[in-house]
Amino acid sequence: NSKLRHVEKDVLIPQIMRDRAKELCSDKVQAFTKCCQETGFLMVVKCRQENTALKDCLVGYYSDPSFYEECKAEYLKQREEYRATGIKKKRQKVTSNV
């Protein structure tokens, strides 16, 4: 049964999308984080280029229908495994300051 509840469509699948997009944009996440650490208070001004590159990368994935379908399939697979085994699989978190 692949019918999705509201919370799955609006919360759980978007969470997978955010996590995966951060992984796929990790070079831009690192560049922005490094810039912010080196700049301090002036990061809003000085890191604008890195912030824009990061945002563009993330939004590119968020707005891609095939990426949504990929993440939805991943979620449904996890849900199916959980229903079969009762064991919830933890997603590996990427540690970053974003």
Side-chain angles (χ1 to χ4, degrees), residues 1-64:
N1 179 8
S2 63
K3 186 148 173 61
L4 294 170
R5 296 173 307 163
H6 167 72
V7 71
E8 292 172 318
K9 276 191 284 200
D10 296 343
V11 178
L12 300 175
I13 294 171
Q15 181 60 53
I16 290 174
M17 291 177 74
R18 280 191 297 276
D19 291 346
R20 291 209 46 224
K22 279 184 190 174
E23 291 168 17
L24 295 167
C25 298
S26 65
D27 56 333
K28 290 165 185 60
V29 170
Q30 288 172 353
F32 179 67
T33 302
K34 184 173 185 248
C35 181
C36 290
Q37 288 170 339
E38 291 172 355
T39 316
F41 272 136
L42 297 174
M43 70 182 165
V44 174
V45 176
K46 300 246 181 181
C47 301
R48 194 173 292 147
Q49 189 175 341
E50 290 83 352
N51 187 31
T52 299
L54 174 57
K55 238 188 280 184
D56 289 348
C57 183
L58 294 173
V59 169
Y61 283 109
Y62 298 158
S63 58
D64 180 355

